[in-house]
Amino acid sequence: MKTILVTGGAGFIGSNFVYYMLRTHPNVRIVVLDALTYAGNFQTLEPLLGQARFRFVRGDITDRAAVMRLFDEERFDAVVNFAAESHVDRSIDTPEVFLKTNVLGVQVLLDACRAHGNVRFHQVSTDEVYGDLPLDRPDLFFTEETPLRTSSPYSASKAGADLLTLAYYRTFGTPVTISRCSNNYGPYHFPEKLIPLMITNAMEGKKLPVYGEGKNVRDWLFVKDHCRAIDLILQGGRIGEVYNVGGHNERSNLEVVRAILHLLGKDDSDIIFVRDRPGHDLRYAIDPTKMRTELGWKPETTFETGLRQTVAWYREHRDWWEPVKSGAYLDYYKAHYGDA
Ligand code: NAD
Ligand code: DAU
């Protein structure tokens, strides 16, 4: 039995990864460490409580003593770090917590790996560390060699973590890998991000706030394909290497919003164009050649299928997202969108 520490496992991608690993690897036991910030949802993991191959620990990755204690208690074969502040708009309002969790938290985890016999460490990073690409150059893609050129406090903090991770490999020999993935979508996605916000707003009969003119392009990947990519990197990725993960699924924001409305049988009348995000990245597009040639990975879910499944999931799981959208979340929402 191998034990994997999944930090941030109560969030969107982390929870999908926990379910994916437990389903596909009968010889894997998962320990989740999650601070349960506004983005962590314990309800997502509740069905796993009491199962022998699962343990949940509430804790903060920046709490060095607690992290070291957990590493003393368990013998981790690998750590996969999803724990992060992940929303670009929030990083513009409050950068500090992004630096604390996304950089200093990673340092604590790397130190814990080092102090416990050089445990394998996988850092879940993002394509946003490469900055953006122009809208009029569809021939350009991010490769692993593209220079880091960040735009937001969020992406700067993720780039800092990547550099720190590679520095621990070079200086201390800590066995690390990094994946830089494009935009994910799917079940358990917190409804502050574009796709779940638009699906749930449309279901509630609310306005759909599109930034600027809605021309910015993102490269969408169904979350399960990301989980499989991380699994393959854990199994066969080369230590000290970075892997870009993405599936050539570029869509403008307006195209995405219209596709959601179409699936819900609605017209465009609730779309509103609101103030643009400061420093808004224009286009992300991943070149996933290294994942394909070295690890045999390619996405299995098309955008059409994935989006249909995602809309269906939100239709069937009002009990998951309705409580999330009430309470404190509303204060944040109002600060950003006023009464829209
Ligand atoms: P999320 O915001 O949904 O989840 C983050 C989780 O981390 C939450 O459960 C939260 O409680 C936990 N967390 C936050 N601070 C913590 C701390 N100090 N200690 C312990 N736990 C803490 O994020 P997500 O969208 O699932 O993203 C997960 C990771 O993947 C992030 O590192 C993000 O940068 C990266 N990523 C996300 C995307 C995407 O499209 N969502 C794409 C590429 C990479
Ligand atoms: O590329 C990977 C990144 O994708 C991850 O590293 C981040 O953690 C994740 O949040 C995501 O970042 P984005 O900024 O691309 O995602 P978001 O869902 O916030 O926005 C997607 C696009 O939609 C972006 O161009 C901004 C736009 N947008 C977003 C919101 C929330 C709108 O037009 N209206 C909105 O209300």
Side-chain angles (χ1 to χ4, degrees), residues 258-289:
R258 288 200 169 124
I260 289 168
L261 286 168
H262 180 72
L263 285 167
L264 288 168
K266 296 191 150 222
D267 63 26
D268 290 1
S269 55
D270 281 333
I271 293 179
I272 52 166
F273 293 93
V274 299
R275 191 172 63 92
D276 208 353
R277 170 185 283 173
H280 197 172
D281 280 336
L282 293 172
R283 169 175 169 251
Y284 303 144
I286 283 276
D287 175 351
T289 304

Side-chain angles (χ1 to χ4, degrees), residues 10-13 34-35 37 40 60-61 82 84 86 101 125 154 158 184:
F12 164 46
I13 309 174
D34 197 296
T37 67
D60 193 319
I61 59 165
F82 294 93
S86 68
T101 289
S125 185
Y154 163 70
K158 294 295 289 185
N184 283 213

Side-chain angles (χ1 to χ4, degrees), residues 124-288:
V124 181
S125 185
T126 167
D127 59 358
E128 297 202 15
V129 298
Y130 299 121
D132 61 355
L133 297 164
L135 290 176
D136 60 357
R137 289 292 307 273
D139 56 313
L140 296 180
F141 298 92
F142 298 135
T143 72
E144 288 80 0
E145 273 68 52
T146 301
L148 305 191
R149 187 180 65 89
T150 57
S151 312
S152 70
Y154 163 70
S155 54
S157 69
K158 294 295 289 185
D162 283 12
L163 294 175
L164 197 61
T165 300
L166 293 173
Y168 269 61
Y169 168 62
R170 167 102 187 231
T171 305
F172 304 118
T174 311
V176 307
T177 42
I178 296 175
S179 51
R180 294 182 180 145
C181 189
S182 61
N183 286 62
N184 283 213
Y185 67 100
Y188 304 115
H189 203 178
F190 194 85
E192 67 184 346
K193 308 281 168 59
L194 181 75
I195 287 185
L197 179 70
M198 297 300 155
I199 295 173
T200 57
N201 272 16
M203 286 173 67
E204 292 176 305
K206 291 184 179 162
K207 300 287 183 207
L208 310 189
V210 172
Y211 295 165
E213 296 176 45
K215 289 186 177 154
N216 303 60
V217 169
R218 296 294 182 263
D219 182 357
W220 295 97
L221 185 73
F222 194 56
V223 62
K224 203 162 120 193
D225 281 321
H226 186 188
C227 296
R228 196 164 40 82
I230 294 172
D231 182 17
L232 288 172
I233 295 169
L234 280 179
Q235 290 182 56
R238 283 184 292 134
I239 298 303
E241 290 289 315
V242 173
Y243 291 87
N244 280 358
V245 183
H248 288 303
N249 244 312
E250 292 179 50
R251 299 281 189 289
S252 76
N253 292 338
L254 204 49
E255 283 176 306
V256 170
V257 175
R258 288 200 169 124
I260 289 168
L261 286 168
H262 180 72
L263 285 167
L264 288 168
K266 296 191 150 222
D267 63 26
D268 290 1
S269 55
D270 281 333
I271 293 179
I272 52 166
F273 293 93
V274 299
R275 191 172 63 92
D276 208 353
R277 170 185 283 173
H280 197 172
D281 280 336
L282 293 172
R283 169 175 169 251
Y284 303 144
I286 283 276
D287 175 351

